[in-house]
Amino acid sequence: MRTFIAFTMTLCLLGGAWLLQGPAFFWPDRLDPSQGVFLSGLSAQLLGAGLLAIAGLGTMVIARAARGVRGAPTRGWQLRYFLLILLTLGLVSAAFSLGERGPNPDWRTPDNSASTS
């Protein structure tokens, strides 16, 4: 589990740092890849900040586990963790809300010519 958390944190740190530069890219819709959201500038930076916040959440969990603390976390730790989760959700939601929805510029309809006789 620690390896998975470390891998996820590394991806979030690298991806978040890259997205803070504001590169433009298209995020296809999961159910319909011909549609999606174009993220650039501020929306890409908000998504990058959200990824960095996820890495911060992982850091909080790892630091608590490294201290060998048993039992329930303190009320203050839980409050900070909850607020960071809310911040993360807000940043990612704002990124996708500000992104431009539309057709995928790289979408091509599936080729059915092989099925014709």
Side-chain angles (χ1 to χ4, degrees):
M1 187 66 170
R2 285 181 273 171
T3 304
F4 175 74
I5 292 173
F7 179 70
T8 304
M9 286 175 54
T10 302
L11 285 179
C12 287
L13 283 172
L14 293 175
W18 180 69
L19 285 171
L20 282 180
Q21 299 170 14
F25 66 98
F26 189 81
W27 189 294
D29 189 335
R30 187 179 78 178
L31 300 175
D32 182 9
S34 68
Q35 298 290 319
V37 180
F38 184 72
L39 300 168
S40 65
L42 179 61
S43 59
Q45 291 172 339
L46 288 171
L47 184 60
L51 287 174
L52 292 175
I54 291 171
L57 287 165
T59 303
M60 285 179 68
V61 170
I62 295 292
R64 186 171 189 284
R67 288 191 303 268
V69 179
R70 299 268 185 220
T74 64
R75 183 173 174 87
W77 188 92
Q78 290 179 0
L79 183 62
R80 286 189 303 274
Y81 194 76
F82 177 73
L83 291 175
L84 195 53
I85 287 174
L86 285 181
L87 175 69
T88 302
L89 290 173
L91 289 169
V92 173
S93 297
F96 283 101
S97 294
L98 291 175
E100 182 181 336
R101 298 194 181 284
N104 187 342
D106 296 328
W107 178 256
R108 304 216 189 332
T109 56
D111 184 21
N112 293 332
S113 62
S115 63
T116 59
S117 334

